[in-house]
Amino acid sequence: MSEIEREAMEYDVVIVGAGPAGLSAAIRLKQLDADLQVVVLEKGSEVGAHILSGAVLDPIGLNQLIPDWKEKGAPLNVPVKDDNFYALGEAGQIRIPNFAMPPLMNNHGNYIVSMGNVCRWMAEQAEELGVEIFPGMACSELVYGDNGEVKGVVAGVFGLEADGSLGPNSEPGMELHGKYVFLSEGVRGSLSKEVIAKYDLSKGKEPQKFGLGMKEIWEIDPAKHKEGSVTHTMGWPLGSNAGGGSFIYHLDNNQVYVGFVVHLNYENPHLFPYMEFQRFKHHPMVADLLKGGKRVAYGARAISEGGAQSMPKMVAPGVALLGCSVGMVNVARIKGNHNAMLSGMAAAEAAYAAIGQDRSGDELSDYEANVRSGEIGKDLHKVRNVKPLWSKYGLVASLSVGGFDMWTNTFGFSLLGTMKHGKNDADATGKAAAHEPIEYPKPDGTLSFDRLTNVAFSFTNHEESQPAHLQLGDKMVPMAVNMPHYAEPAQRYCPAGVYEVVDDNFVINFQNCVHCKTCDIKDPSQNITWVTPQGGDGPNYPNM
């Protein structure tokens, strides 16, 4: 659609994505210079709509960005009171003593939060400073300048026909140009993926690694609720089939966030991550907690797990990648929001300095240097070997050798150096004939649920007449290649039931999509591309 003539609006900085990284960048820019023209474009129907509540937030970034956040009413109301670490077996559990855990794993001083509500509050702070925020405005294309630099984005395309053409009710959108463009789309963003490929930003880096995180919000029996309690588990039910683990966070109002992460480098294509999550809730420890409660929301998304050695170059002419667009999650801590905020601030400071020097459209190399050598780089450097150890040698090595490595990194050295990841997650998928199928118990409708029932609790919605945002490179591949070789794993790895095989046909129910991006990552043929649907479509996670 690049030949379409569109109106254009000019800004100093255009920011794609109203998550913690993008909003931190916007706020910091206006703090530095109130006259800067800054716009934030958010594909969700409102800020926070695509962020399922439930995280433990290290406030280091917020402390620097808005030091008086408590006085301003930031929704950080539940400090962590206790940490629990368990290794699970099918019928029981062993608690790992806190003193054995590296200091960086301590959650003292952190808060259990709804990140959706944190971002809604941050958006209010940004707008008070004069930032323009446009929700429901998906960014579908990058705009390039005469010298190959990124100079803007196309946003607000609506009403396309199913084949992608303009129809009588179509709105072609508009171009928003900036001296710099920040991409803070989250994991595996479509524009970020394009930039990384176009400018070869991953050259010399390890492949990015991912996990699939699934989460439910439960309201439980008040007698079982322990506000401020944080629990992490490893082991059952995944065993040797895949890496991963769980988290259970007790917020206020008798709410509990129950999450499950499956590392996407698993080999057995018969593995069904969603059903592993549902099975997990039948563990005696978890079942007892949830008994008598009710699930009120569900969602899923991919998590970047590659860490320091997998972060691509973060800048190209006119553009900078922020937060999870780069992959700044500390996988050992299951935390990335603090680094996202710090990255947004660092990018803002680099852009402010560049604009003050009458620069535009070049590389913000100071931003990259800040991230690599500053707080973010130091945070990720300490845990850089946890993921490759787990991937190559399993849970026991991750707990023992990985724990030892984190301890030594606390003192500034590692006996392991920096380990490599090897294959990407798609290439890690093994042939179906080499692996045994896995039998999963049927959901009971009380603790465990089928996918379509749960997807209804993500409140996802897509206009059915629009082009499918899940695109096949070759329509023959699913049944001609993936089915005979891999038993078409899209039927199982998707946590929303988007993909089905019906009467030897590959069916894509894109209306169910919760925007997790797993298909774009795990498809063994790399034949599925996730592109942004029209603005406002997708999950509409509750304001809780």
Side-chain angles (χ1 to χ4, degrees):
M1 295 179 63
S2 57
E3 71 280 1
I4 297 172
E5 291 188 8
R6 299 183 173 94
E7 294 183 8
M9 296 180 66
E10 303 294 330
Y11 291 89
D12 291 304
V13 180
V14 174
I15 301 173
V16 179
L23 291 171
S24 294
I27 290 169
R28 188 67 183 131
L29 282 162
K30 296 295 279 187
Q31 288 174 338
L32 291 166
D33 185 348
D35 293 328
L36 287 175
Q37 298 299 305
V38 181
V39 64
V40 179
L41 303 166
E42 166 57 36
K43 66 183 174 67
S45 59
E46 63 168 335
V47 173
H50 288 179
I51 302 176
L52 181 60
S53 301
V56 173
L57 177 65
D58 181 340
I60 181 174
L62 197 56
N63 288 340
Q64 294 183 28
L65 181 67
I66 306 175
D68 58 345
W69 55 262
K70 287 185 179 180
E71 290 75 12
K72 290 181 178 293
L76 280 70
N77 303 315
V78 182
V80 175
K81 295 178 181 176
D82 63 87
D83 270 328
N84 304 282
F85 302 91
Y86 290 99
L88 299 187
E90 185 170 1
Q93 63 276 345
I94 298 173
R95 181 168 181 176
I96 302 170
N98 290 53
F99 68 80
M101 305 299 292
L104 62 88
M105 299 293 287
N106 187 350
N107 278 305
H108 178 74
N110 297 333
Y111 293 83
I112 302 173
V113 300
S114 158
M115 279 309 299
N117 287 342
V118 170
C119 287
R120 291 179 179 98
W121 176 83
M122 291 179 69
E124 293 173 359
Q125 309 309 304
E127 288 179 322
E128 288 180 4
L129 293 171
V131 176
E132 295 181 38
I133 300 178
F134 299 138
M137 291 285 280
C139 298
S140 53
E141 294 181 52
L142 292 167
V143 179
Y144 294 97
D146 295 336
N147 298 314
E149 79 280 9
V150 175
K151 76 170 188 178
V153 297
V154 174
V157 178
F158 291 97
L160 296 180
E161 300 294 296
D163 63 359
S165 63
L166 288 171
N169 298 314
S170 299
E171 297 180 24
M174 62 189 311
E175 294 186 6
L176 294 98
H177 299 166
K179 296 173 182 175
Y180 296 98
V181 175
F182 291 170
L183 299 180
S184 52
E185 301 174 286
V187 173
R188 198 76 164 190
S190 54
L191 301 185
S192 301
K193 184 180 175 183
E194 178 180 332
V195 165
I196 290 169
K198 178 179 176 65
Y199 298 103
D200 200 14
L201 301 185
S202 289
K203 182 179 180 180
K205 310 296 183 183
E206 286 293 294
Q208 185 58 267
K209 308 293 287 183
F210 299 92
L212 169 59
M214 296 157 285
K215 188 185 302 178
E216 293 172 357
I217 304 177
W218 281 71
E219 292 179 359
I220 66 168
D221 182 345
K224 300 176 182 178
H225 186 252
K226 299 178 181 178
E227 184 176 304
S229 177
V230 168
T231 296
H232 292 99
T233 78
M234 295 172 285
W236 190 88
L238 291 172
S240 61
N241 284 321
S246 81
F247 55 90
I248 301 173
Y249 304 150
H250 291 242
L251 196 68
D252 49 8
N253 300 319
N254 300 316
Q255 288 190 340
V256 174
Y257 303 142
V258 182
F260 196 79
V261 178
V262 177
H263 300 171
L264 289 177
N265 61 351
Y266 60 84
E267 293 184 15
N268 187 346
H270 299 293
L271 187 81
F272 199 155
Y274 175 84
M275 290 306 297
E276 296 286 351
F277 175 31
Q278 298 307 302
R279 184 161 61 166
F280 158 75
K281 290 182 291 176
H282 286 273
H283 187 278
M285 183 181 77
V286 186
D288 181 67
L289 174 68
L290 300 181
K291 184 178 179 181
K294 64 177 181 178
R295 162 220 45 188
V296 296
Y298 165 76
R301 65 172 301 165
I303 303 167
S304 59
E305 296 185 338
Q309 55 269 62
S310 296
M311 292 195 300
K313 184 179 177 183
M314 302 166 207
V315 294
V319 65
L321 307 180
L322 277 55
C324 282
S325 294
V326 177
M328 297 182 181
V329 170
N330 182 316
V331 68
R333 302 178 71 198
I334 320 181
K335 291 181 180 64
N337 289 311
H338 64 300
N339 285 336
M341 291 181 179
L342 291 170
S343 75
M345 295 168 62
E349 290 163 4
Y352 164 73
I355 292 170
Q357 298 166 4
D358 292 325
R359 292 162 44 199
S360 66
D362 60 345
E363 294 190 0
L364 293 172
S365 55
D366 286 351
Y367 163 59
E368 174 116 14
N370 184 315
V371 170
R372 300 277 181 191
S373 62
E375 291 172 289
I376 298 171
K378 292 174 183 176
D379 182 53
L380 298 180
H381 187 74
K382 293 176 182 178
V383 300
R384 67 194 182 281
N385 292 323
V386 172
K387 174 65 175 181
L389 277 168
W390 200 332
S391 298
K392 294 179 181 180
Y393 304 112
L395 176 60
V396 175
S398 175
L399 284 173
S400 56
V401 182
F404 176 76
D405 190 62
M406 284 191 285
W407 268 109
T408 60
N409 271 289
T410 301
F411 301 106
F413 70 95
S414 171
L415 298 176
L416 302 178
T418 297
M419 298 179 65
K420 295 184 176 181
H421 292 303
K423 298 178 181 178
N424 66 36
D425 292 333
D427 290 341
T429 310
K431 297 294 179 68
H435 298 274
E436 291 293 325
I438 302 172
E439 294 292 330
Y440 291 97
K442 184 178 179 179
D444 67 0
T446 302
L447 287 177
S448 50
F449 313 96
D450 66 82
R451 279 184 297 187
L452 294 186
T453 298
N454 237 355
V455 167
F457 284 80
S458 71
F459 310 99
T460 195
N461 180 66
H462 295 85
E463 173 56 53
E464 295 188 16
S465 63
Q466 69 180 295
H469 65 281
L470 302 163
Q471 301 178 352
L472 299 180
D474 185 336
K475 293 182 180 180
M476 302 299 292
V477 164
M479 299 310 298
V481 178
N482 285 358
M483 193 66 189
H485 293 298
Y486 306 101
E488 187 42 89
Q491 302 174 90
R492 293 173 293 280
Y493 61 58
C494 174
V498 168
Y499 304 99
E500 294 181 282
V501 174
V502 181
D503 298 329
D504 294 327
N505 294 306
F506 188 67
V507 179
I508 302 177
N509 306 300
F510 74 86
Q511 298 89 343
N512 293 352
C513 181
V514 294
H515 297 192
C516 73
K517 321 289 180 61
T518 301
C519 55
D520 195 298
I521 296 163
K522 185 59 177 174
D523 177 48
S525 299
Q526 289 293 271
N527 189 51
I528 301 175
T529 298
W530 189 99
V531 300
T532 185
Q534 67 184 21
D537 283 4
N540 283 279
Y541 295 130
N543 187 347
M544 304 178 71

